[in-house]
Amino acid sequence: MTSIEGSVAAALVDYTSGMALGTLGGGKDLDLTVAAAGNTDVIRAKVRTMEMLGLKDDIEDVLITLGSQYHLLRLIRGRGGNGLFLYIVLDKGRANLAMARHQLRRIEAELEL
């Protein structure tokens, strides 16, 4: 995931526990373990909301846009990936959001769990 243009940090996260299973990048200004736990709450809230609304669809990804960054959460479906999501932080000035979403979708499809 760090090969995606504009990538600042990336993680594989278990949203049932809130734990980052693996991380790359980050640093003192971006603690990926804290970010993974916080974004777990975002995923859980959206899943609950969809259940309450009776929506029978899957979440592909969630985008959080900050002033200088994109935070992209991609849920992993199938092949034992239920309960996991890919999390990538992109520099807004260097990233191509459409391309990043496409590449993240490809990474998810090729991921072996």
Side-chain angles (χ1 to χ4, degrees):
M1 288 192 300
T2 55
S3 67
I4 295 174
E5 189 170 344
S7 174
V8 174
L12 175 64
V13 183
D14 178 348
Y15 71 81
T16 58
S17 68
M19 292 182 62
L21 304 177
T23 63
L24 291 168
K28 68 178 180 87
D29 294 332
L30 178 61
D31 184 333
L32 281 176
T33 57
V34 172
N39 285 309
T40 292
D41 292 337
V42 172
I43 297 294
R44 288 177 184 163
K46 189 58 189 173
V47 168
R48 274 193 314 271
T49 301
M50 290 178 63
E51 288 171 356
M52 288 188 297
L53 292 172
L55 296 176
K56 305 290 185 218
D57 210 345
D58 293 325
I59 299 170
E60 287 185 14
D61 56 42
V62 175
L63 171 65
I64 300 166
T65 305
L66 304 179
S68 63
Q69 297 176 335
Y70 295 121
H71 290 234
L72 191 56
L73 318 172
R74 172 113 188 142
L75 275 72
I76 299 175
R77 297 288 174 212
R79 301 174 318 282
N82 206 12
L84 301 177
F85 68 92
L86 298 172
Y87 170 45
I88 187 166
V89 178
L90 302 165
D91 180 302
K92 201 172 176 183
R94 297 182 311 139
N96 177 324
L97 183 57
M99 184 59 74
R101 289 184 71 218
H102 173 73
Q103 290 173 306
L104 206 54
R105 190 176 315 121
R106 181 184 48 78
I107 289 167
E108 179 213 356
E110 294 173 358
L111 193 63
E112 291 187 29
L113 300 172

